[in-house]
Amino acid sequence: MNSKIVEDIKQQTTGMAPSSALAWLADAFPGEIVFSTSFGWEDQVITHMIFSNNLPIKVFTLETGRLFPETYYVWNRTMEIYGQPIYAYYPQNEALEAMVNAKGPSSFYESVENRKECCGIRKIEPLKRALKGNKIWITGIRAEQSPNRQDMVNVEWDEGNQLVKYHPVFEWSLDEVKTYIKNNNIPYNTLHDRGFPSIGCQPCTRAVQPGEDFRAGRWWWEDQSKKECGLHSVKEIITEK
């Protein structure tokens, strides 16, 4: 059944422009489709497609409490320009307080396990709440963003969350994303202009140096192969509670 849903969506959306595919999905799954934004380049493109076309797709973000000031600015600016709500999901107070009280505010630097615990509390659990009851999860993933993501496809079944994930700009290049932003005068995070191609929590993100991988600035103190928080890794989504 799950594979049939994925194949049906693939057949219906193949060849469609991203905005047209989003409109079709919103019509096919009314009230059961959401888009998660972290206000990066790709997410701003998709937000523009949703808001400028008044598509009935709920836009939400994970408010980890550790975001950059520039991220909060583009969040607020986006709401001002489009006049549409962006729903925030916060970590559960009790879990966050227990972790910080036991290990301090920067335990994620000490081990991969601690970092995954922090991501689990600040991102994974709020994400599960945001996705609950929905059938389609829209994301800003592009294939070239990291080696882990090149094995993905633009429509896939997320076993951990029991829904379909659709990536509208999956095959776009970064230049295509930038051109779309420029041509449509879309607000974007100015950290991108300062060497931050991938932007997450402030303590866990640095600028990328010339010649480094796209995601080298994320959790830079860890081994390159571990640089996913679990939001888009099925194995981690299933196992992290």
Side-chain angles (χ1 to χ4, degrees), residues 49 56 109 146:
M49 292 176 181
Y109 290 129
S146 76

Side-chain angles (χ1 to χ4, degrees), residues 81-96:
I81 289 174
Y82 297 101
Q84 300 269 16
I86 297 175
Y87 297 90
Y89 285 80
Y90 287 77
Q92 291 185 334
N93 290 344
E94 294 82 0
L96 183 59

